[in-house]
Each structure stands twice: as C-alpha cells, then as structure tokens.
C-alpha cells in the first residue's frame, strides 16, 4: 500500500551541484562548495524546519565516485529528508560560476549533469510531498506535473493534489516559448520568475535605471493572470526582483513586498537567493494554509533568501539554548522584525 499520508512538506527536482565560484580579482575563487538549485531550495525550506520537522524537506543528492566526505557530513548536519543515491560509475555534477560586473553571472557544467525526473520519485516518500519545486522549461514543466500526478494516482486514486511551484529556467524565457509558457501556467499553482525572466517571455526589458519597471511588471503579470494560472484559474505569481523585493499577485491581490536586506553590503553572493526564496515560499504555503496565504508565504521566502545570500555558499547552522540559529540569528526573530517592517512599507 502506498504511503500517501506523507510527512514530506516539500520536494525539489532541482539538482545538487558542487560549485566553484570565480569572482573579479583580487577576490580569490572558492571551490568545492554545496550548490545547485536543489540544494538552495532545500536550504530555503530547511531554514523554517527545525528538527523534527527538518525531515519534511525532500531533495535528492546523487553522489559520484569523487563525492567529498566533508560534504556528506555537511548534508547530514541538516537532518533533512534527503534521498542520497550512490552513483559510483560517474563523477558528481560540478559547476563553474563566474561573476563579472553588475552581478552578471556565467555558468557552465564541468562534469555531465544528471537531471532529475518524475521517475526518480517512484517508490520513494518524496512522491507524496505536499509541494514540488520545478525548475525547468515550459514544456518540461507540463510533462513533470502530468507524470508526477500520474504516478500518485496510479498508486492511490484518491490522493490529494499537491502544490506545484514553477521556476522557469532562464535561457528558455524567450518570446518563442510564450505559448508553451501560457499552457504551462495552467498546470501549476505558483509561477515564480525573476523580473528579467518575465520580461523575456514578452520580449520586453523590465529594468529602469535604478530599479525594476514596477508598472510594466504589473501589466505583464496581469496578462498571465488573465490567461489563467492553475487548474481552476486561482493560481498565483510571485515575481522575484532582487533588491526591489517581490510582487505577489493573483486574482484580487497585487502587492509589492520589500527585500529583507536593504543594504547591498549585506549581500555577499546572490547565488541561490531565488531558489532559497522558493523553498521558504513552498513550506510557507503548505503550513500556513495554501495559496490563500500568499503574502505570509512570500515573507517566509524573503527570509530564506536573506540567509542564502549573506555569504559564499551555505549559511552556518548552529544550536543555541533558544533553538537553531542560521548565521547566528534565530529565524523567528528575523521574520517578526521583517513583518513589523512590512506594516510600514509603502507600495512603490
């Protein structure tokens, strides 16, 4: 009998990658750190999941023959719901990240990637997650949703539908994919591009000189909402816009929220901020009442992103008498401080 009463709140189909990051000189490069969309989105969910809830955070790590022992220890320290798979006949997926001016990032794989698909969830607890993070093209998004639902229904015909959160992959956010995008929107509960990716589908730049073009972004989001998001049209957009925060939008709601960090000095490495945001958003939706609580979940996402970008690589998890800390801060304290700021925030 399938274990459909899963205690997995979140599962990402993003990959685990061992990262090497090269910065403009004189800053030295950093090698052998945990990276990849899967790792950062799992981080975002884990930040809001102190043990025993930490086991509700599902992600997959494929360990090649060269997998470093210290990274195994690091992964174990999170006490998460990770599925570790040994693949000794291959090298672990590794990526090179190069940073230039204006946070421009170049990326390439240094070893062949092992992409995750719906088949990887079969006969695992992860199949029964309450939310899924998909980072992919529009066509692949449709395939993944259909196939994950197909696997669940085949095992348990009365299973409830999970939440699907789609992060469009940047290089296919282009006008040629616009029709596929509109079709993909009908299959997901939340779509979350950044403002550049949103503009990419429409072939329109969304940056003004000092900040995002707020009005243009709003009108493009309205077009998506009018075309229909989600199986019954009640889905949402959470548009991520870096230092300008995020826009949460669904039928009857449109609201900008600020970024947690207001000083660029606090942002050491923006890698993974968006993925981390979506992990926090997903567990926020699952635990606070679904898409109706979009603003609350986006606040969780903003806090997760804030910890992801304060350093190169992952933030430091530690124990204190008051509970877990990340980079020396209690997550609850940062969230409550942020909510007080939201009460005073003026819409742009």
């Amino acid at each position: 009998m399938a274990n459909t009463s899963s205690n997995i709140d979140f599962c990402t189909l993003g990959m685990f990658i061992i990262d090497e990051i090269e910065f403009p000189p004189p800053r030295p490069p950093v090698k052998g750190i945990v990276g990849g969309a899967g790792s950062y989105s799992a981080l975002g969910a884990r930040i809001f999941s102190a043990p025993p809830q930490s086991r509700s955070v599902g992600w997959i790590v494929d360990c090649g023959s060269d997998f470093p022992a210290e990274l195994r220890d690091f992964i174990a320290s999170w006490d998460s719901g990770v599925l570790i798979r040994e693949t000794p006949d291959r090298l672990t997926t590794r990526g090179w990240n190069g940073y230039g001016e204006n946070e421009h990032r170049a990326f390439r794989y240094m070893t062949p990637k092992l992409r995750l698909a719906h088949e990887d969830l079969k006969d695992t607890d992860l199949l029964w997650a309450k939310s899924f993070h998909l980072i992919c093209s529009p066509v692949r998004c449709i395939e993944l949703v259909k196939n994950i639902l197909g696997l669940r229904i085949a095992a348990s015909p009365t299973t409830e539908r999970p939440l699907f959160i789609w992060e469009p992959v940047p290089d296919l956010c282009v006008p040629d994919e616009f029709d596929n995008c509109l079709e993909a929107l009908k299959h997901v509960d939340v779509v979350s591009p950044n403002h550049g990716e949103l503009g990419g589908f429409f072939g329109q730049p969304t940056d003004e000189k000092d900040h995002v073009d707020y009005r243009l972004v709003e009108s493009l989001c309205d077009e998506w909402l009018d075309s229909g998001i989600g199986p019954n049209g009640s889905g949402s957009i959470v548009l991520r816009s870096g230092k300008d925060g995020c826009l949460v939008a669904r039928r009857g709601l449109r609201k900008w929220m600020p970024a947690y960090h207001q000083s660029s000095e606090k942002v050491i490495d923006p890698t993974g901020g968006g993925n981390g945001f979506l992990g926090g958003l997903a567990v926020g939706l699952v635990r606070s009442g679904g898409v109706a609580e979009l603003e609350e979940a986006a606040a969780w996402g903003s806090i997760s992103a804030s910890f992801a970008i304060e350093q190169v690589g992952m933030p430091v998890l530690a124990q204190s008498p008051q509970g877990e800390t990340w980079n020396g801060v209690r997550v609850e304290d940062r969230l409550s401080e942020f909510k007080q700021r939201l009460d005073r925030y003026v819409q742009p």
Side-chain angles (χ1 to χ4, degrees):
M1 179 63 193
N3 172 28
T4 57
S5 62
S6 169
N7 51 7
I8 301 284
D9 286 341
F10 171 79
C11 174
T12 178
L13 286 184
M15 285 187 296
F16 174 97
I17 299 175
I18 299 178
D19 265 343
E20 180 174 315
I21 304 178
E22 216 164 276
F23 299 98
R27 195 172 169 186
V30 181
K31 299 186 178 184
I33 57 172
V34 170
S39 308
Y40 275 104
S41 59
L43 167 74
R46 175 62 182 83
I47 280 171
F48 279 95
S49 309
Q53 220 169 18
S54 53
R55 299 282 177 91
S56 74
V57 177
W59 52 311
I60 296 175
V61 176
D62 288 316
C63 301
S65 58
D66 59 341
F67 201 84
E70 64 270 18
L71 291 192
R72 290 182 189 270
D73 295 341
F74 173 81
I75 291 166
S77 74
W78 284 8
D79 192 21
S80 68
V82 66
L83 174 61
I84 292 185
R85 305 190 299 187
E86 303 300 335
T87 54
D89 53 345
R90 62 181 280 276
L91 295 173
T92 309
T93 306
R94 291 178 183 264
W96 175 89
N97 302 265
Y99 278 102
E101 294 304 304
N102 299 328
E103 292 184 5
H104 177 72
R105 176 174 166 228
F107 176 83
R108 67 170 182 267
Y109 288 103
M110 297 161 71
T111 57
K113 66 180 179 182
L114 187 57
R115 196 163 74 163
L116 299 176
H118 67 281
E119 296 98 337
D120 296 300
L121 305 174
K122 202 172 180 195
D123 302 323
T124 75
D125 281 350
L126 299 185
L127 177 62
W128 304 104
K130 298 183 180 86
S131 66
F132 288 92
H133 167 239
L134 312 176
I135 174 163
C136 54
S137 70
V139 169
R140 185 166 160 77
C141 174
I142 296 165
E143 287 172 6
L144 283 171
V145 171
K146 285 181 173 175
N147 286 325
I148 290 169
L149 292 176
L151 284 175
R152 287 168 66 115
I153 290 163
S156 174
T158 57
T159 181
E160 278 186 34
R161 181 188 157 93
L163 292 172
F164 288 102
I165 296 160
W166 176 38
E167 180 180 356
V169 69
D171 48 352
L172 285 171
C173 295
V174 292
D176 284 352
E177 287 289 324
F178 186 77
D179 291 343
N180 290 332
C181 172
L182 294 187
E183 182 58 33
L185 293 178
K186 294 178 170 46
H187 293 267
V188 300
D189 301 278
V190 179
V191 60
S192 184
N194 65 30
H195 63 272
E197 293 156 358
L198 172 74
F201 281 117
F202 290 88
Q204 295 199 47
T206 50
D207 276 310
E208 291 191 327
K209 186 165 172 286
D210 298 318
H211 53 74
V212 64
D213 186 336
Y214 296 107
R215 303 293 87 82
L216 175 61
V217 162
E218 290 165 359
S219 73
L220 299 183
C221 285
D222 286 347
E223 287 194 43
W224 272 7
L225 289 170
D226 289 344
S227 82
I229 300 174
N232 55 8
S234 62
S236 307
I237 302 168
V238 179
L239 177 112
R240 295 168 287 106
S241 198
K243 66 177 178 57
D244 293 322
C246 69
L247 172 68
V248 294
R250 64 165 186 269
R251 287 182 179 163
L253 169 74
R254 183 166 79 194
K255 201 167 193 178
W256 287 91
M257 297 169 68
Y260 177 79
H261 288 306
Q262 291 299 303
S263 163
S264 61
E265 288 165 21
K266 295 280 200 297
V267 180
I268 303 301
D269 180 5
T271 307
N275 309 132
F277 183 105
L278 292 175
L281 177 87
V283 293
L285 290 171
V286 165
R287 295 183 197 149
S288 64
V291 182
E293 298 300 330
L294 194 62
E295 291 171 67
E296 174 75 11
W300 289 31
S302 301
I303 295 305
S304 288
S306 75
F307 286 106
I309 63 180
E310 288 178 341
Q311 65 289 306
V312 176
M314 296 286 167
V316 176
L317 169 61
Q319 304 298 329
S320 77
Q322 288 75 41
E324 282 191 347
T325 63
W326 294 87
N327 291 347
V329 178
R330 288 177 71 244
V331 174
E332 303 84 349
D333 293 345
R334 183 169 286 190
L335 180 63
S336 65
E337 179 219 328
F338 185 54
K339 284 183 172 177
Q340 287 174 358
R341 204 193 305 164
L342 290 178
D343 291 339
R344 304 188 299 271
Y345 179 67
V346 179
Q347 291 295 302

